[in-house]
Amino acid sequence: MRTPVYWSSALEDIPAPDYADMIVGVLPPRATDDPRDWAKTIFSIRSMPRWITAAMGLRQAIVPLIGIPRAPRDVFRVGRVEGDEALIAADDRHLDFRCGVGVDREARLVRVTTTVRLKGWRGRLYFWPVRLVHPIVVRAMLRSAQRRLGAPRG
């Protein structure tokens, strides 16, 4: 039997996801290659585009209406770093979420891999609109982090 090859810890944690995507961007010339810094910056309220922080605020207001708890403040906290990847993990009643933020120093690339395991009707209902906008949101967050981490330091 062949041993599975994982591109990301997110796929190792949730090997048969209900949803998965991977967004790849270029590592800017002066940017750090520390995956923890990339994960923290991508998910930082300070560096997110305003329309995304507004959407997250709306999410926090709406989800209790379908019986889903609001996300805790540290939901996007880096749980571990292994090699060139930082992993964010969150499990809840309606879904399990993993996000691996990896930095390939040689290829000068940053990748954001998301996997989701849905639980019950609440998870499916919640994630139905999210799956449509998720790649757009992550791409915008990665671009914002590229600008922030690639900016000249002085």
Side-chain angles (χ1 to χ4, degrees), residues 30-134:
R30 291 176 296 278
T32 179
D33 59 7
D34 182 339
R36 180 181 299 273
D37 288 345
W38 274 94
K40 287 170 68 175
T41 303
I42 288 168
F43 288 97
S44 165
I45 296 295
R46 285 192 191 137
S47 65
M48 280 184 200
R50 285 192 182 110
W51 66 271
I52 295 175
T53 56
M56 288 185 170
L58 181 63
R59 179 241 183 251
Q60 291 290 75
I62 291 175
V63 293
L65 300 176
I66 61 169
I68 294 175
R70 289 183 174 98
R73 282 193 176 281
D74 68 344
V75 70
F76 297 122
R77 179 184 51 81
V78 174
R80 70 180 192 251
V81 176
E82 290 181 13
D84 69 350
E85 186 179 55
L87 184 71
I88 296 167
D91 295 340
D92 209 331
R93 200 170 38 195
H94 65 298
L95 60 75
D96 296 337
F97 160 85
R98 299 292 183 277
C99 182
V101 178
V103 178
D104 184 328
R105 293 165 182 89
E106 248 182 74
R108 304 292 303 163
L109 297 173
V110 179
R111 75 176 181 281
V112 182
T113 307
T114 304
T115 58
V116 177
R117 179 184 306 121
L118 301 174
K119 299 176 182 177
W121 69 268
R122 283 182 178 90
R124 287 188 301 279
L125 178 64
Y126 167 77
F127 208 73
W128 179 74
V130 173
R131 81 173 51 242
L132 299 174
V133 298
H134 190 270

Side-chain angles (χ1 to χ4, degrees), residues 8-29:
S8 169
S9 295
L11 286 160
E12 193 173 331
D13 274 15
I14 303 177
D18 295 304
Y19 175 86
D21 68 21
M22 182 183 293
I23 307 297
V24 178
V26 174
L27 182 67

